[in-house]
Amino acid sequence: MKPSLEVEFCGRLYENPLMNASGVCCMTTDDLDSMARSRSGAFITKSATSTDRAGNPEPRYVTVPLGSINSMGLPNKGIEYYLNYVLDRQKRFPSENPPFMSVAGMGIDENIKLLNIIQDSEFSGITELNLSCPNVPGKPQVAYDFELTDRTLKSVFQFFTKPLGVKLPPFFDFAHFDDMASILNKYPLAYVNCINSVGNGLYIDVEKESVVIKPKDGFGGIGGEYIKPTALANVRAFYTRLNENIKIIGTGGIRTGQDAFEHLLCGATMLQIGTELQNEGTGIFERINTELLQILEQKGYQSIEDFRGKLHSIT
């Protein structure tokens, strides 16, 4: 019997666990339509602000040997643009799972405003609140301020009743895993997304003796192969600390079916792909699904749930 890649997530069944990471192949309706036609199990919109943003000056995204560096500055077309798109898809394709919606305010007040717009709409899908925007000059990441994160979620869940997940930056200390998990466990979150890019890296062009992106004097978020070990560590750390009803989306360094398998083994239920999707295009989803199925067949697994989260420690 051929294995299945189906996953259940927030009460919905998805053909496979693969998605785009918000920021890649999701800026325009054409991008989103290409995701809808792909072999991804789901897809998510660009992180939206209240109105459209041009983002940071170019060059702001560069592919480098083991991944990417970017300082995009949250370019997007505004909440109404993406909300209109997902509501239209809901109406035209009522039997399909709606796309995920991503929002990222510049502060707690804007986050509340954005989520109120979604709460008051007919959107019936899953929303992702991005608490980890490392590439907006002058703006700190909300999730590195634990008190602000707690205050934000407390305010949000006073009115927001639809499925909500949060996207987190990487954490590097066990005490921070513990402290953040204790905050997240207080709220009826649907999931956490681990991780956003590793903030404020620097890549140098030796020939030019120069940085490679313009914003922030060359400092930017690192993605791709560079960050897979950090992403896996964060997936595992939160999988073992969060309440069972809070699922994990694994993001970071997924290029192959083996990378996907590792994220799932650490406890992720769904997976988002960013840098490699940017490099390869939407055909990546069919390739990784095929490779992941081959791994399941080789190991004798019939489903992802046969091994998800069952990472062994050395005793």
Side-chain angles (χ1 to χ4, degrees):
M1 184 177 174
K2 190 175 182 180
S4 169
L5 295 182
E6 283 187 343
V7 293
E8 184 180 341
F9 190 82
C10 297
R12 301 174 185 271
L13 193 64
Y14 294 89
E15 182 180 329
N16 65 70
L18 304 181
M19 304 174 58
N20 62 312
S22 182
V24 184
C25 203
C26 58
M27 173 69 85
T28 67
T29 56
D30 286 345
D31 292 334
L32 294 165
D33 283 343
S34 72
M35 283 299 308
R37 292 190 298 269
S38 77
R39 289 295 309 280
S40 66
F43 62 101
I44 190 168
T45 65
K46 186 76 173 71
S47 292
T49 49
S50 300
T51 56
D52 65 302
R53 284 175 58 91
N56 292 340
E58 303 275 3
R60 59 192 185 186
Y61 181 99
V62 174
T63 299
V64 294
L66 293 178
S68 61
I69 183 170
N70 85 88
S71 182
M72 300 297 291
L74 269 179
N76 74 94
K77 294 184 175 295
I79 182 70
E80 295 297 339
Y81 180 91
Y82 301 108
L83 186 57
N84 288 339
Y85 176 84
V86 297
L87 291 176
D88 179 63
R89 280 201 70 87
Q90 272 186 196
K91 191 175 296 183
R92 290 190 295 128
F93 306 103
S95 63
E96 291 185 1
N97 291 319
F100 287 53
M101 278 280 297
S102 177
V103 295
M106 294 292 105
I108 186 170
D109 291 341
E110 188 176 12
N111 282 328
I112 297 300
K113 176 183 177 181
L114 293 165
L115 291 173
N116 265 302
I117 291 171
I118 293 175
Q119 176 67 29
D120 293 341
S121 75
E122 295 182 5
F123 178 57
S124 62
I126 300 167
T127 303
E128 180 169 285
L129 174 60
N130 190 341
L131 296 178
S132 59
C133 293
N135 301 313
V136 178
K139 299 290 183 180
Q141 295 195 46
V142 172
Y144 283 152
D145 183 332
F146 289 5
E147 182 181 341
L148 179 58
T149 298
D150 196 4
R151 195 162 71 246
T152 298
L153 293 177
K154 183 177 181 179
S155 297
V156 165
F157 284 110
Q158 287 177 357
F159 69 91
F160 200 80
T161 60
K162 298 179 179 183
L164 180 72
V166 292
K167 188 167 189 178
L168 297 178
F171 295 96
F172 303 96
D173 193 286
F174 282 108
H176 293 159
F177 292 138
D178 293 340
D179 291 346
M180 179 54 71
S182 69
I183 292 169
L184 300 175
N185 279 330
K186 292 163 59 176
Y187 300 102
L189 286 163
Y191 71 88
V192 299
N193 185 344
C194 304
I195 56 174
N196 206 334
S197 57
V198 174
N200 292 324
L202 193 68
Y203 193 86
I204 293 171
D205 182 329
V206 173
E207 291 299 317
K208 296 180 180 179
E209 299 183 10
S210 169
V211 300
V212 297
I213 57 174
K214 184 174 181 178
K216 295 169 60 178
D217 294 323
F219 284 74
I222 303 298
E225 285 184 77
Y226 294 111
I227 73 167
K228 189 181 78 168
T230 300
L232 293 175
N234 277 257
V235 168
R236 189 62 180 173
F238 283 106
Y239 176 74
T240 57
R241 285 167 172 79
L242 293 177
N243 298 332
E244 286 187 3
N245 55 305
I246 302 178
K247 303 300 183 185
I248 309 287
I249 294 181
T251 307
I254 299 176
R255 299 175 59 248
T256 67
Q258 179 177 315
D259 298 327
F261 182 85
E262 291 175 15
H263 270 268
L264 296 166
L265 190 64
C266 285
T269 298
M270 296 193 76
L271 310 170
Q272 291 184 358
I273 303 174
T275 296
E276 199 63 22
L277 171 59
Q278 179 71 29
N279 292 342
E280 189 173 328
T282 56
I284 190 173
F285 296 111
E286 184 167 7
R287 176 177 66 77
I288 290 184
N289 278 324
T290 299
E291 292 172 0
L292 184 56
L293 274 172
Q294 289 172 347
I295 292 172
L296 266 65
E297 288 174 345
Q298 291 166 3
K299 290 180 171 289
Y301 293 130
Q302 288 299 304
S303 73
I304 288 171
E305 286 304 308
D306 288 346
F307 65 89
R308 190 181 65 80
K310 298 178 181 178
L311 180 68
H312 298 300
S313 295
I314 299 175
T315 56

